[in-house]
Amino acid sequence: MSGLNAGAAAGVTGPAANPFAGFRDPALARDLAQTIRAEIPDRQVKIMHVCGSHEHTVQKWSLRSILPENLEIFAGPGCPVCVCPSHEVAEAIELARRGAIIATYGDMMRVPTPYGSLAGAKTAGGDVRLIYGPMDAVGLASDNPGRQVVLFAVGFETTAAPNAALIASGAMPGNLSLLTSHRLTVPAMELLLGIGDIHIDAFIAPGHVSVITGSGEWELFAEAYGMPVAVAGFEPVDFLSAVLGLVRQISRGDARLDNTYGRAVTPEGNRYAQRAMAEAFETVPSWWRGIGRVPRSGQVIREKWGEADARRRFELTRVPERQELPPGCSCHLVMLGKIHPTGCPLFGKKCTPATPYGPCMVSHEGTCQIWSQFGGTGG
Ligand code: SF4
């Protein structure tokens, strides 16, 4: 494993007044972009990241505007709220209808589905509360001992890990259970490689997920698929360092893993979090909204922790899985990296952050929402 180290590139070697200053240095960012221009092959190059936070970085710092025109940076399926399937939202709505307190993150409230939304369930009298972390749900359960509280647990590895630790602690309040909609990122990225009309030259792996999984998780792409891959952080110099390393690999025909976020990501990751996830969850095929069924990508609660599982506790009848999006919505194409949000005819017209029509416009991690937030030009 080798490659650029963004910390060294930024000249940040020790404690500083502003620890991000070097990673946001405009001159260094311009130098990196210039080197990318000089070294990129003379053809279209497509690099995909799978993280709403990376798209936010690209947009906030207008990175596409300083990169060469033949370099396309596309966002893939990096928004857990966007890929949460309608039938799982329907389960949460059903539990609200049955009188449980539904504890959920704000972005999930407005996600439109054919079964309605949690905001609609709340309007109809359901008790749906906003939380910022699993301990808020524990607090709700403690404060409401006579009520059932259900944590609608949506998210990738970064969210799954603390929820797993809560389950595996064996110390959950008796009136608290989890309705899980956790997804693993690597299987979705693998799926993308098998879709014939998507050509991707390299992947940028999400830095925060990698804190949990370790950078080693992504070696698979270099070793099995011959694809350059880089773990990147969330400052502009982090991102551009990753892009430069990937462009160099593409130019030279290399395929290896670069960890350009070494200040946070180790090869082995967070072993405690990994153990908690393995203890609490079983890995199963799962449905991704707009994408379909992805093998080995879901996390459901193991039978030994059945009391913590809202599906078992409430004997929920499984709502049929359907790959449904509102008519005319192109979220599936956005999430597969086939188009940018501006390729959807509804973008900025029928679908805006104030009036979200598709799931990618709801969450602050949704590509359409991020593009809208920064003017809709792609950064
Ligand atoms: Fe879906 Fe709206 Fe994005 Fe179009 S603009 S892809 S309708 S979220």
Side-chain angles (χ1 to χ4, degrees), residues 3-14:
L4 280 171
N5 182 292
V12 176
T13 55

Side-chain angles (χ1 to χ4, degrees), residues 195-222:
I195 298 176
D197 61 343
I198 301 178
H199 175 78
I200 304 166
D201 290 289
F203 272 138
I204 293 179
H208 38 29
V209 166
S210 305
V211 170
I212 304 291
T213 64
S215 60
E217 185 88 354
W218 313 102
E219 273 174 354
L220 162 80
F221 293 100

Side-chain angles (χ1 to χ4, degrees), residues 41-105:
D42 189 18
R43 65 171 175 86
Q44 281 303 115
V45 170
K46 182 169 179 173
I47 295 177
M48 178 181 277
H49 67 74
V50 286
C51 176
S53 300
H54 275 151
E55 186 57 32
H56 197 273
T57 299
V58 170
Q59 295 272 339
K60 178 178 178 182
W61 302 98
S62 299
L63 298 186
R64 284 191 182 90
S65 69
I66 61 169
L67 288 170
E69 282 183 4
N70 62 326
L71 174 57
E72 299 175 292
I73 304 288
F74 267 82
C79 164
V81 170
C82 308
V83 302
C84 178
S86 295
H87 64 265
E88 291 179 350
V89 177
E91 291 177 316
I93 293 171
E94 166 64 13
L95 292 175
R97 198 184 60 75
R98 290 197 205 175
I101 299 174
I102 306 299
T104 186
Y105 301 107

Side-chain angles (χ1 to χ4, degrees), residues 3-14 22-23 28 237-238 241 260-263:
L4 280 171
N5 182 292
V12 176
T13 55
F23 298 103
L28 182 52
V237 167
D238 288 320
S241 298
T260 65
Y261 198 29
R263 67 186 186 280

Side-chain angles (χ1 to χ4, degrees), residues 10 12 14-24 235 263:
V12 176
N18 179 352
F20 297 113
F23 298 103
R24 294 178 180 174
E235 298 300 331
R263 67 186 186 280

